[in-house]
Amino acid sequence: MTAMISVEGLERSFGDHDVLRGVDLRVDRGSIHALLGSNGAGKTTLVRILATLLPADGGSATVAGHDVAAAADDVRRSISLTGQYAAVDEVLTGRENLVLVARLRRLPDPRGLAAALLARFSLTDAGDRAVSTYSGGMRRRLDIAMSLVGDPPVIFLDEPTTGLDPQARIEVWDAVRELAARGTTVLLTTQYLEEAEQLADRIAVLHRGRIIAEGTLGELKALMPPTEVRMVEHQPSLEEVFLALVGTPTPDTEEKDS
Amino acid sequence: MSTLFVDNTTALLGRSLRHVTRSVDTVITTTIMPIAMLLLFVYVFGGAIDLGSGAGVGSYVDYLLPGILLITIGSGVAYTAFRLFLDVKGGIVERFRSMPVARTAVLWAHVLTSLVANAISLAMVVAVALLMGFRSSAGPLAWLGVVGILAMFTLALTWVAVIAGLLASTPDGASAFSYPIIFLPFVSSAFVPTDSMPGPVASFAEHQPVTAIVDAIRALLEGGTVGGDLGVALAWCVGILVVAYAVATRLFRRTAA
């Protein structure tokens, strides 16, 4: 397997606050990798560095073989970022949003691409309505569709289901699964343990600026003591694994984009 | 100038022009205050304002219009600051920056949109002034000069608006920078001749940009000779433009490396 994202010893602080303290991470081509952590763990900071939006203080990172600091333009051609808050244009229609991204990426036939993506994300009927009339789930689906314009090999999904109702969450999950099925590499940040359990091939637990555990769901579960013999067999849920690894829930200050 | 920059700016310009055409009310709103001032000063205060013996025989609306046009621009660029603020806070600027998009294309799209929106507002204010009896003996070349000065002033102030939009933490903060700009014409030759003001005030009025710009536009519209005002007016515009552009682009590169 080739690594599409490779991170070594990445550090970043804001003032006195060390947000990332030496992160190592490797994401294989075509996999869904979940970055799991509480608010303030540094997830968004890591994604912003990988998406060339923020310089690191130390360490190195490559995306699709390009160094994020030295070859930012090459990285930008290989990635798409879907932010924590759906960054879509509310005034434009769904179709116009997609056409805009296609034109910015200077792709041939922006209208054809937009029509295909609207169909793929079940937004054809709503395609010519202003996005301000969309539901939360539709908006997030459009957001992901915009990320797919031009088929970038790597997609960052920063908390793609935060603030969505359960139905909309399932819609987004289906969209993410389909991405990976087509060979796109997905790095997904989430604070929802179930989301990581449902979607991810591998899970990295980011806590206080370090990756403290990494592996498949099965590998992470094996970190727990063997199941006790009880009347009812007790399988540790990922939530229990997470809390055991992390300790008590952290009262850290909420992570802010700065 | 790379084709990447041109293509990106064109695409983003199409986007922000749609924002303007889909909220025409914002363009109309920006003209309400200048038009109200025009009406108020011509029909209420105008009779009591003595332009002095050297001011010529033109009606007060002719005298007033250049200053009102600058106020129109001041209130128009506030919307640019507001729109840019919404783009930054809403995360769409972040999205564009993570794409292979020319760095300052986002800003240029807003600036060019501001030129278009202000041109529409200015045309509306001039139309109202014509109804109120504004007449000009200016030839096509002088009109071209007026349009040129107004465009330069809009461009300069829009880059100031970009700084406000990037720095603001609230929507109100984004547009509040325009209050001094709207107020500045009052302490200039826009409403009354500066020699009617007390010494220190007159001295300030004569050395601030609005007076030079107003005098230059007024001279052009009167069909007279423009003299040194034009040079001073353009120097102010270019000066503000260069400084604001440098600060705005640096700020933009820094706010999200």
Side-chain angles (χ1 to χ4, degrees), chain A residues 180-236:
Chain A
R182 291 176 178 229
T184 306
T185 306
V186 179
L187 179 63
L188 166 98
T189 79
T190 184
Q191 48 181 323
Y192 299 118
L193 309 172
E194 191 197 351
E195 186 158 293
E197 220 169 336
Q198 284 278 340
L199 290 178
D201 299 312
R202 294 182 77 82
I203 298 159
V205 179
L206 184 64
H207 182 60
R208 294 181 189 269
R210 286 197 186 86
I211 304 282
I212 55 169
E214 203 272 342
T216 63
L217 181 61
E219 287 166 2
L220 289 182
K221 282 188 172 177
L223 291 174
M224 291 293 277
T227 33
E228 301 168 36
V229 180
R230 283 194 202 162
M231 290 305 289
V232 183
E233 188 186 76
H234 178 74
Q235 270 274 350

Side-chain angles (χ1 to χ4, degrees), chain A residues 15 23 46 104 170 181 218 221 237 253:
Chain A
V23 171
L46 178 55
L104 285 173
I170 288 167
K221 282 188 172 177
S237 72
T253 49

Side-chain angles (χ1 to χ4, degrees), chain A residues 48 51-53 55 76-77 79 81-82 87-89 91-92 96 100-101 103-106 143 146-147, chain B residues 3-4 7-8 10-12 15 18-19 22 90-92 94-101 103 256-257:
Chain A
R48 283 170 53 85
T52 75
L53 294 171
R76 290 188 196 113
R77 270 186 277 277
I79 62 160
L81 169 68
T82 295
V88 296
D89 188 316
V91 176
L92 301 187
E96 286 167 342
L100 173 64
V101 175
R103 287 188 58 199
L104 285 173
R105 289 192 179 274
R106 307 209 286 173
D143 192 6
M146 283 164 75
S147 291
Chain B
T3 54
L4 173 75
D7 282 3
N8 289 165
T10 312
L12 291 168
R15 161 182 182 258
R18 282 202 176 98
H19 282 232
R22 282 176 202 173
I92 200 143
E94 189 111 309
R95 162 165 247 140
F96 295 149
R97 303 181 70 123
S98 71
M99 290 169 56
V101 168
R103 295 291 85 184

Side-chain angles (χ1 to χ4, degrees), chain A residues 66-118:
Chain A
H66 309 293
D67 187 275
V68 291
D73 277 337
D74 294 323
V75 172
R76 290 188 196 113
R77 270 186 277 277
S78 316
I79 62 160
S80 245
L81 169 68
T82 295
Q84 196 162 340
Y85 307 99
V88 296
D89 188 316
E90 303 246 318
V91 176
L92 301 187
T93 66
R95 190 185 306 278
E96 286 167 342
N97 268 286
L98 291 164
V99 168
L100 173 64
V101 175
R103 287 188 58 199
L104 285 173
R105 289 192 179 274
R106 307 209 286 173
L107 300 168
D109 190 22
R111 298 203 67 82
L113 269 174
L117 280 164
L118 285 172

Side-chain angles (χ1 to χ4, degrees), chain A residues 148-205:
Chain A
L148 298 191
V149 173
D151 279 323
V154 178
I155 292 192
F156 300 112
L157 296 170
D158 190 13
E159 308 212 357
T161 62
T162 297
L164 291 188
D165 60 45
Q167 179 55 41
R169 178 170 300 171
I170 288 167
E171 289 171 14
V172 170
W173 284 354
D174 288 341
V176 175
R177 283 195 194 97
E178 208 197 309
L179 276 186
R182 291 176 178 229
T184 306
T185 306
V186 179
L187 179 63
L188 166 98
T189 79
T190 184
Q191 48 181 323
Y192 299 118
L193 309 172
E194 191 197 351
E195 186 158 293
E197 220 169 336
Q198 284 278 340
L199 290 178
D201 299 312
R202 294 182 77 82
I203 298 159
V205 179

